[in-house]
Amino acid sequence: MQVALREIGNCIIRRCDPSDIIPVMEINLKTLPEHYSDYFYESLLAELPEAFLVAEIEKKLVGYIMCKIEYGFSNFKKLGFVKKGHVVSIAVLPDYRKKGIGRALVEESIAGVKLKKSDELYLEVRCSNNEAIKLYEKLGFVIKQRLKAYYRDGEDAYLMAIEFSY
Ligand code: ACO
Ligand code: ZN
């Protein structure tokens, strides 16, 4: 049993458990066109449990966020080589949106990647996904690049990133 990191009304934000992977995959299938194998979810959970979080309401999972850590060129410092968190995927079921759950998931995953002393956190988002882009901007992410035809259907992505100081 994982401890609650945060409560928003009757919704609890907590770390993901291995037994949550199937419901997390179900939320992903219902909400996003980008899907992953069960092995991929398990490996993200094993590698970065601090930033693989779920939102739970009365024993039902309604949202998740999962991240990984990478080493590579900075999105902020020219030629800097840094430790970067990467938000691989976040989603909240439609009936539970606009209640602050998405924001809480991103904020708590920021805390999680900071526990690992990441210098930055980045993500890709569809250029048409205004809801998500607005949420990330409110939390301090900035658009750093436009990635042409990033998605399988040909849509471009924005690469958005936030830099941390300790
Ligand atoms: N009452 C009314 N509105 C509220 C309340 C409230 N109590 N609390 C927050 N809101 C508003 C916020 O202000 C915000 O609106 P605004 O930006 O117009 O001001 C809006 O609700 C969204 O904020 P949250 O509630 O924190 O986010 P939500 O739980 O709705 O989740 C998310 C956002 C995850 C993007 C959701 O829309 C979703 O799952 N979309 C489909 C999947 C998706 O697109 N995921 C992102 C892909 S990119 C990637 O994965 C890296
Ligand atoms: Zn990505």
Side-chain angles (χ1 to χ4, degrees):
M1 187 60 190
Q2 303 282 0
V3 298
L5 298 167
R6 192 193 294 205
E7 291 175 29
I8 312 120
N10 60 352
C11 178
I12 289 168
I13 307 294
R14 61 166 176 80
R15 288 190 187 181
C16 182
D17 241 20
S19 63
D20 297 321
I21 298 253
I22 299 285
V24 165
M25 289 178 76
E26 286 167 359
I27 296 172
N28 168 267
L29 286 169
K30 284 181 192 154
T31 53
L32 282 167
E34 291 78 38
H35 308 309
Y36 315 94
S37 68
D38 52 355
Y39 171 77
F40 184 66
Y41 288 86
E42 283 162 13
S43 62
L44 291 184
L45 180 57
E47 282 166 32
L48 193 57
E50 296 86 351
F52 194 149
L53 310 175
V54 295
E56 183 183 66
I57 297 180
E58 288 155 3
K59 307 275 180 220
K60 174 189 153 91
L61 293 199
V62 300
Y64 72 89
I65 187 166
M66 56 187 193
C67 306
K68 60 183 174 179
I69 295 279
E70 296 165 4
Y71 298 86
F73 288 110
S74 170
N75 286 299
F76 294 91
K77 292 181 188 70
K78 237 186 179 176
L79 299 178
F81 198 76
V82 294
K83 183 172 182 176
K84 298 188 284 192
H86 177 174
V87 180
V88 175
S89 184
I90 171 176
V92 174
L93 287 175
D95 289 352
Y96 301 90
R97 291 180 191 161
K98 298 201 175 289
K99 296 173 190 302
I101 295 173
R103 183 190 185 106
L105 285 169
V106 179
E107 285 176 345
E108 293 299 331
S109 70
I110 287 174
V113 297
K114 288 180 89 171
L115 285 175
K116 306 297 274 185
K117 294 279 180 281
S118 290
D119 301 296
E120 304 173 4
L121 179 62
Y122 82 97
L123 55 82
E124 300 93 6
V125 58
R126 284 179 186 268
C127 294
S128 63
N129 194 345
N130 296 322
E131 197 69 43
I133 293 166
K134 234 186 327 168
L135 171 63
Y136 303 141
E137 281 178 336
K138 263 193 266 182
L139 295 177
F141 286 81
V142 290
I143 295 173
K144 300 301 291 187
Q145 282 182 57
R146 187 179 181 118
L147 307 172
K148 284 272 167 224
Y150 178 79
Y151 295 98
R152 286 173 67 149
D153 59 10
E155 186 171 351
D156 295 355
Y158 285 130
L159 187 154
M160 299 184 73
I162 182 171
E163 192 176 25
F164 304 130
S165 51
Y166 292 93

Coordinates of all heavy atoms in Angstrom, one line a residue, residues 124-134 143 145-151 153-160:
E124 N 6.9 15.9 -24.7 CA 6.3 16.3 -26.0 C 4.8 16.3 -25.9 O 4.2 15.5 -25.2 CB 6.7 15.3 -27.1 CG 8.2 15.1 -27.3 CD 8.8 14.0 -26.5 OE1 8.0 13.3 -25.9 OE2 10.0 13.8 -26.5
V125 N 4.2 17.3 -26.6 CA 2.7 17.4 -26.6 C 2.3 17.8 -27.9 O 3.0 18.6 -28.6 CB 2.3 18.4 -25.5 CG1 2.9 19.8 -25.6 CG2 0.8 18.5 -25.4
R126 N 1.1 17.2 -28.4 CA 0.6 17.6 -29.7 C 0.3 19.1 -29.7 O -0.2 19.7 -28.8 CB -0.8 16.9 -29.9 CG -0.6 15.5 -30.3 CD -1.9 14.8 -30.5 NE -1.7 13.4 -30.7 CZ -1.5 12.8 -31.9 NH1 -1.7 13.5 -33.0 NH2 -1.2 11.5 -32.1
C127 N 0.7 19.8 -30.8 CA 0.5 21.2 -30.9 C -0.9 21.6 -30.8 O -1.2 22.8 -30.5 CB 1.1 21.7 -32.3 SG 2.9 21.5 -32.3
S128 N -1.9 20.7 -31.1 CA -3.3 21.0 -31.0 C -3.9 20.8 -29.6 O -5.0 21.0 -29.3 CB -4.1 20.1 -31.9 OG -3.9 18.7 -31.6
N129 N -3.0 20.3 -28.7 CA -3.5 19.9 -27.3 C -3.5 21.1 -26.4 O -2.7 21.1 -25.4 CB -2.7 18.7 -26.8 CG -3.4 18.0 -25.6 OD1 -4.3 18.6 -25.0 ND2 -2.9 16.8 -25.3
N130 N -4.4 22.0 -26.6 CA -4.4 23.3 -25.9 C -4.5 23.1 -24.4 O -3.9 23.7 -23.6 CB -5.5 24.2 -26.4 CG -5.3 24.6 -27.8 OD1 -4.1 24.8 -28.2 ND2 -6.3 24.6 -28.6
E131 N -5.4 22.1 -24.0 CA -5.6 21.9 -22.6 C -4.3 21.5 -21.8 O -4.0 22.1 -20.8 CB -6.6 20.7 -22.4 CG -7.3 20.6 -21.1 CD -8.3 21.7 -20.8 OE1 -9.0 22.1 -21.8 OE2 -8.3 22.2 -19.7
A132 N -3.6 20.6 -22.4 CA -2.4 20.1 -21.8 C -1.3 21.2 -21.9 O -0.6 21.4 -20.9 CB -1.9 18.8 -22.5
I133 N -1.2 21.9 -23.0 CA -0.2 22.9 -23.2 C -0.4 24.0 -22.1 O 0.6 24.4 -21.4 CB -0.2 23.5 -24.6 CG1 0.3 22.5 -25.6 CG2 0.7 24.8 -24.7 CD1 0.0 22.8 -27.1
K134 N -1.6 24.4 -21.9 CA -1.9 25.4 -20.9 C -1.5 25.0 -19.5 O -1.0 25.8 -18.7 CB -3.4 25.7 -20.9 CG -3.8 27.2 -21.1 CD -5.2 27.5 -21.0 CE -6.2 26.5 -21.5 NZ -7.6 26.7 -21.1
I143 N 7.8 26.3 -24.2 CA 8.0 25.6 -25.4 C 9.4 25.9 -25.9 O 9.8 27.0 -26.1 CB 7.0 26.1 -26.5 CG1 5.5 25.7 -26.0 CG2 7.3 25.6 -27.9 CD1 4.4 26.3 -26.9
Q145 N 10.9 23.8 -28.6 CA 11.1 23.4 -30.0 C 9.8 22.9 -30.6 O 8.9 22.5 -29.8 CB 12.0 22.1 -30.1 CG 13.5 22.3 -29.9 CD 14.2 21.0 -30.1 OE1 14.1 20.3 -31.1 NE2 14.9 20.6 -29.1
R146 N 9.7 22.9 -31.9 CA 8.5 22.3 -32.6 C 9.1 21.1 -33.3 O 10.0 21.3 -34.1 CB 7.9 23.3 -33.5 CG 6.6 22.8 -34.2 CD 6.0 23.8 -35.1 NE 4.7 23.2 -35.6 CZ 3.5 23.8 -35.4 NH1 3.4 24.9 -34.7 NH2 2.5 23.2 -35.9
L147 N 8.6 19.9 -33.0 CA 9.1 18.7 -33.7 C 8.2 18.3 -34.8 O 7.1 17.9 -34.6 CB 9.2 17.6 -32.6 CG 10.0 17.9 -31.3 CD1 9.9 16.8 -30.3 CD2 11.5 18.2 -31.6
K148 N 8.7 18.4 -36.0 CA 7.9 18.2 -37.2 C 7.5 16.7 -37.3 O 8.3 15.8 -37.1 CB 8.7 18.6 -38.5 CG 8.8 20.0 -38.7 CD 7.6 20.6 -39.5 CE 7.6 22.1 -39.4 NZ 6.2 22.6 -39.2
A149 N 6.2 16.5 -37.6 CA 5.6 15.1 -37.8 C 6.1 14.1 -36.7 O 6.5 13.0 -37.0 CB 6.0 14.7 -39.2
Y150 N 6.1 14.6 -35.5 CA 6.5 13.7 -34.4 C 5.6 12.5 -34.2 O 6.1 11.4 -33.8 CB 6.6 14.6 -33.1 CG 7.0 13.8 -31.9 CD1 8.3 13.5 -31.7 CD2 6.1 13.3 -31.0 CE1 8.7 12.8 -30.6 CE2 6.4 12.6 -29.9 CZ 7.8 12.3 -29.7 OH 8.2 11.6 -28.6
Y151 N 4.3 12.7 -34.4 CA 3.4 11.6 -34.2 C 3.1 10.8 -35.4 O 3.3 11.3 -36.5 CB 2.1 12.2 -33.6 CG 2.3 12.8 -32.2 CD1 2.4 14.2 -32.1 CD2 2.4 12.1 -31.1 CE1 2.7 14.8 -30.9 CE2 2.6 12.6 -29.9 CZ 2.8 14.0 -29.7 OH 3.0 14.6 -28.5
D153 N 0.5 10.0 -36.9 CA -0.5 10.6 -37.8 C 0.0 11.8 -38.5 O -0.7 12.5 -39.3 CB -1.8 10.8 -37.1 CG -1.7 11.8 -36.0 OD1 -0.6 12.4 -35.8 OD2 -2.6 12.0 -35.2
G154 N 1.3 12.2 -38.2 CA 1.9 13.3 -38.9 C 1.8 14.6 -38.2 O 2.5 15.6 -38.6
E155 N 1.1 14.7 -37.0 CA 1.0 15.9 -36.3 C 2.4 16.3 -35.7 O 3.1 15.4 -35.3 CB -0.1 15.8 -35.2 CG -0.3 17.2 -34.5 CD -1.5 17.3 -33.6 OE1 -2.3 16.4 -33.6 OE2 -1.6 18.3 -32.9
D156 N 2.6 17.6 -35.6 CA 3.8 18.1 -34.9 C 3.6 18.1 -33.4 O 2.5 18.1 -32.9 CB 4.1 19.6 -35.3 CG 4.4 19.8 -36.8 OD1 4.5 18.8 -37.5 OD2 4.5 21.0 -37.2
A157 N 4.8 18.0 -32.7 CA 4.8 18.2 -31.2 C 5.5 19.4 -30.8 O 6.4 19.9 -31.5 CB 5.4 17.0 -30.6
Y158 N 5.1 20.0 -29.7 CA 6.0 20.9 -29.0 C 6.8 20.2 -28.0 O 6.3 19.3 -27.3 CB 5.2 22.0 -28.3 CG 4.5 23.0 -29.1 CD1 3.1 23.3 -29.0 CD2 5.2 23.7 -30.1 CE1 2.5 24.2 -29.7 CE2 4.6 24.7 -30.9 CZ 3.3 24.9 -30.7 OH 2.6 25.9 -31.5
L159 N 8.1 20.5 -28.0 CA 8.9 20.0 -26.9 C 8.9 21.1 -25.8 O 9.2 22.2 -26.1 CB 10.3 19.7 -27.3 CG 11.3 19.0 -26.3 CD1 12.4 18.3 -27.0 CD2 11.9 20.0 -25.3
M160 N 8.4 20.7 -24.6 CA 8.3 21.7 -23.6 C 9.2 21.3 -22.4 O 9.3 20.1 -22.2 CB 6.8 21.8 -23.1 CG 5.9 22.3 -24.1 SD 4.2 22.6 -23.5 CE 4.4 24.1 -22.6

